[in-house]
Every structure is written in structure tokens, then in C-alpha cells.
């Protein structure tokens, strides 16, 4: 299956910095063998939409409201994202689960809102270091995925899933290819039990993925791409991950 490399800019960027970054990515686009996306802060959607228009770089968002519309100050709806031709939307990133107390049920509802608007949710799951050390990794990721399966039923094959061990996010401690593959296999098996089309769900790895470790991770049978934080802010680093996915 075609791999997906998605950059998660998190709360980084500026009008001034975004343009050369996106332009450098676009210069390389004709050689891409995989799908590529950048998930940008909502205030930059219009800017990046204009830059990528008609090109192979897909636009993504980092979050979406659980509500459709109305009196929800500060929230951004799935329909609003769709207005800007957003193709992917990260939901349930560990930073949102942690800093904004997003529950499994909230994340599942966000995935549902995205799907209903024709946006592919990139659903993040992953265990903390304490959970891994307590031997709870499988239990945690299965519980997180189960909520999304429960709420989204047959549509589950339309999602992208991302395994992001919390202890690997922004720390420089990448999961080894074997550690990641083990969890991806658990997730694949769970998807297979929920849908006949589970084999077309892309399961991305995220957490300190960079130019030097990407190839080993992406060679694993159940690793179908990457969700890239820090390395997505530099064109050269991001493009070498894209090349490793080719
Ligand atoms: P880093 O690549 O900076 O570890 O971030 C990963 C991530 O959280 C992507 O969503």
C-alpha cells in the first residue's frame, strides 16, 4: 500500500517561515512515491492551501471540534476545515489527550466528525513510559482504538491510524523497528476483527522519526508511513523521510 508521510507542525510556524518551507517541499514533489501531507495550525490553513493548490502536497489540520457548529468559542469545526480543502486531520494526539484531557470517547467523536465531513482522521494512540514499564502497552492502545472502532463502525477502514508512543514524542528516543512493529501488528489484528477492509488502513509510526531512523521503521510490514514532528519543520529532514518511504 502507498505509504503516507505527514508532518505535524504542532504550534510552530509563521507567515514568513511557512512559505519557504512549503515551497521547498513542492520543488521535490514530482519525485514522490508516497502520499505526503502537512498538518498546520488552523490560522495558516488559508496560506498553505494557496501554496499547495493543485499540487501533490496534501493539507492537514491538527484537531477538530466534537461539535458541528454554534456557541463553542475558539473551536474549529470539520465543515470549516473542509472549506479549506483539508484532506487529513489529526485527532487524539497525545499532547491533546494530556494537556486538554481528551478522553477516548472525545477522540472517537472527533474522528466521526472528520469522517462525516469527508476528511480522513489520523487517529493517534500510544502508551506513556509508565504504562510501557508496567507492561500495559497493548492494553492501552487497544482501549484507545476500541473507542474509535465502537463509534465509527464500518467507516473504520476510512481512517489513518498513528502509533505514537508518548515516551518517543519529542524526546529523541525512537521506538526500535521491532518495538513499533509489535504494536502495529496488534493494532492491525484489532482492525481486522472490526473490518474486512482493515488491510487498507495505513498505520503510521510517530515519535522522534528522522532522516536516519526512518528507513528501518518504514521497512516493517505493518508500518505504512510516519507522523513527523520536529523533523517536519526542516524541508531537508522531512524530504529525506519522504524519500525513505519511496
Ligand atoms: P517528534 O517527531 O517531534 O517526536 O513528534 C512526533 C509527533 O508527535 C508527531 O505527531
Amino acid at each position: 500500500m502507498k505509504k503516507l508521510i505527514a508532518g505535524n507542525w504542532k504550534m510552530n510556524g509563521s507567515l514568513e517561515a511557512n512559505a519557504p518551507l512549503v515551497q521547498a517541499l513542492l520543488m521535490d514533489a514530482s519525485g514522490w512515491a508516497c502520499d505526503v501531507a502537512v498538518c498546520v495550525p488552523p490560522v495558516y490553513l488559508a496560506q498553505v492551501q494557496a501554496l499547495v493548490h493543485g499540487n501533490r502536497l496534501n493539507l492537514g489540520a491538527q484537531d477538530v471540534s466534537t461539535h458541528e457548529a454554534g456557541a463553542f468559542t475558539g473551536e474549529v469545526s470539520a465543515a470549516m476545515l473542509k472549506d479549506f480543502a483539508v484532506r487529513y486531520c489529526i485527532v487524539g494526539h497525545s499532547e491533546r489527550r494530556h494537556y486538554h484531557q481528551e478522553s477516548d470517547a472525545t477522540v472517537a467523536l472527533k474522528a466521526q466528525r472528520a469522517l462525516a465531513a469527508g476528511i480522513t482522521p489520523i487517529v493517534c494512540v500510544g502508551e506513556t513510559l509508565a504504562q510501557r514499564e508496567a507492561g500495559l502497552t497493548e492494553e492501552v492502545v487497544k482501549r484507545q482504538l476500541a473507542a474509535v472502532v465502537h463509534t465509527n463502525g464500518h467507516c473504520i477502514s476510512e481512517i489513518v491510524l498513528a502509533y505514537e508512543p508518548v515516551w518517543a514524542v519529542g524526546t529523541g528516543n525512537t521506538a526500535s523497528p521491532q518495538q513499533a512493529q509489535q504494536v502495529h501488528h496488534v493494532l492491525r489484528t484489532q482492525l481486522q476483527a472490526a473490518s474486512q477492509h482493515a488491510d487498507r488502513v495505513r498505520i503510521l509510526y510517530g515519535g522522534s522519526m528522522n532522516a536516519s531512523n526512518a528507513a528501518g521503521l518504514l521497512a516493517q510490514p505493518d508500518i505504512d508511513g510516519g507522523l513527523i514532528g520536529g523533523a517536519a519543520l526542516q524541508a531537508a529532514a522531512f524530504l529525506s523521510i519522504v524519500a525513505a518511504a519511496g
Side-chain angles (χ1 to χ4, degrees), residues 8 10 93 95 164 168-170 206-209 227-230:
N8 174 9
K10 308 193 180 184
H93 192 279
E95 289 149 14
E164 295 209 322
V169 170
S208 300
M209 203 186 221
L227 186 54
I228 320 301

Short mmCIF file of all heavy atoms in Angstrom, two decimals, residues 8 10 93 95 164 168-170 206-209 227-230, ligand 1:
data_model
loop_
_atom_site.label_atom_id
_atom_site.label_comp_id
_atom_site.label_asym_id
_atom_site.label_seq_id
_atom_site.Cartn_x
_atom_site.Cartn_y
_atom_site.Cartn_z
N ASN A 8 3.56 17.02 11.27
CA ASN A 8 2.72 17.69 12.27
C ASN A 8 3.53 18.89 12.77
O ASN A 8 4.47 18.72 13.54
CB ASN A 8 2.39 16.72 13.41
CG ASN A 8 1.66 17.41 14.55
OD1 ASN A 8 1.24 18.56 14.44
ND2 ASN A 8 1.50 16.69 15.66
N LYS A 10 2.67 21.08 14.77
CA LYS A 10 2.31 21.48 16.14
C LYS A 10 2.16 23.00 16.19
O LYS A 10 1.73 23.59 15.20
CB LYS A 10 3.34 20.93 17.15
CG LYS A 10 3.54 19.41 16.96
CD LYS A 10 4.29 18.75 18.08
CE LYS A 10 4.41 17.25 17.77
NZ LYS A 10 5.04 16.51 18.85
N HIS A 93 -4.11 13.38 19.37
CA HIS A 93 -2.66 13.43 19.60
C HIS A 93 -2.41 13.39 21.12
O HIS A 93 -3.18 13.94 21.90
CB HIS A 93 -2.07 14.71 19.00
CG HIS A 93 -0.59 14.68 18.97
ND1 HIS A 93 0.17 14.98 20.09
CD2 HIS A 93 0.29 14.34 17.99
CE1 HIS A 93 1.46 14.82 19.77
NE2 HIS A 93 1.55 14.44 18.51
N GLU A 95 -0.53 15.02 22.93
CA GLU A 95 -0.49 16.35 23.57
C GLU A 95 -1.89 16.86 23.86
O GLU A 95 -2.12 17.53 24.87
CB GLU A 95 0.32 17.32 22.68
CG GLU A 95 1.80 16.96 22.71
CD GLU A 95 2.56 17.27 21.44
OE1 GLU A 95 2.05 18.01 20.59
OE2 GLU A 95 3.70 16.75 21.31
N GLU A 164 1.87 6.43 18.27
CA GLU A 164 2.87 7.38 18.77
C GLU A 164 3.11 7.10 20.26
O GLU A 164 2.37 7.60 21.11
CB GLU A 164 2.38 8.82 18.61
CG GLU A 164 2.21 9.27 17.18
CD GLU A 164 2.43 10.77 17.02
OE1 GLU A 164 2.01 11.56 17.89
OE2 GLU A 164 3.04 11.15 16.02
N ALA A 168 8.29 8.51 23.16
CA ALA A 168 9.14 8.76 21.98
C ALA A 168 8.86 10.11 21.35
O ALA A 168 9.62 10.56 20.49
CB ALA A 168 8.91 7.65 20.95
N VAL A 169 7.78 10.77 21.76
CA VAL A 169 7.38 12.03 21.13
C VAL A 169 8.25 13.17 21.63
O VAL A 169 8.23 13.49 22.83
CB VAL A 169 5.88 12.33 21.38
CG1 VAL A 169 5.53 13.74 20.93
CG2 VAL A 169 5.01 11.31 20.67
N GLY A 170 9.04 13.75 20.73
CA GLY A 170 9.83 14.93 21.06
C GLY A 170 11.01 14.65 21.99
O GLY A 170 11.62 15.57 22.51
N GLY A 206 4.85 7.39 14.78
CA GLY A 206 5.31 8.73 15.11
C GLY A 206 6.05 8.74 16.43
O GLY A 206 5.69 8.01 17.37
N GLY A 207 7.08 9.57 16.51
CA GLY A 207 7.86 9.68 17.74
C GLY A 207 9.33 9.69 17.41
O GLY A 207 9.94 8.64 17.20
N SER A 208 9.90 10.91 17.30
CA SER A 208 11.33 11.08 17.01
C SER A 208 11.76 10.38 15.73
O SER A 208 12.88 9.88 15.65
CB SER A 208 12.17 10.64 18.21
OG SER A 208 11.84 11.42 19.35
N MET A 209 10.88 10.32 14.75
CA MET A 209 11.29 9.77 13.45
C MET A 209 12.13 10.84 12.75
O MET A 209 11.78 12.02 12.77
CB MET A 209 10.07 9.41 12.62
CG MET A 209 10.35 8.38 11.55
SD MET A 209 8.89 8.15 10.52
CE MET A 209 8.87 6.44 10.29
N LEU A 227 4.33 9.90 11.09
CA LEU A 227 3.79 11.19 11.54
C LEU A 227 4.96 11.90 12.21
O LEU A 227 5.48 11.44 13.23
CB LEU A 227 2.62 10.96 12.50
CG LEU A 227 1.83 12.18 12.96
CD1 LEU A 227 1.32 13.01 11.78
CD2 LEU A 227 0.62 11.74 13.81
N ILE A 228 5.37 12.99 11.59
CA ILE A 228 6.66 13.59 11.90
C ILE A 228 6.47 14.93 12.60
O ILE A 228 5.80 15.81 12.05
CB ILE A 228 7.46 13.85 10.59
CG1 ILE A 228 7.31 12.71 9.56
CG2 ILE A 228 8.92 14.15 10.90
CD1 ILE A 228 7.75 11.35 10.02
N GLY A 229 7.09 15.10 13.75
CA GLY A 229 7.01 16.38 14.45
C GLY A 229 8.19 17.26 14.10
O GLY A 229 8.22 17.92 13.06
N GLY A 230 9.20 17.27 14.97
CA GLY A 230 10.34 18.18 14.82
C GLY A 230 10.97 18.17 13.43
O GLY A 230 11.26 19.24 12.87
P1 LIG B 1 8.50 14.29 17.10
O1 LIG B 1 8.77 13.76 15.70
O2 LIG B 1 8.98 15.69 17.30
O3 LIG B 1 8.93 13.32 18.15
O4 LIG B 1 6.90 14.38 17.23
C1 LIG B 1 6.14 13.30 16.84
C2 LIG B 1 4.73 13.71 16.88
O5 LIG B 1 4.17 13.99 17.92
C3 LIG B 1 4.01 13.81 15.60
O6 LIG B 1 2.64 13.96 15.79
#
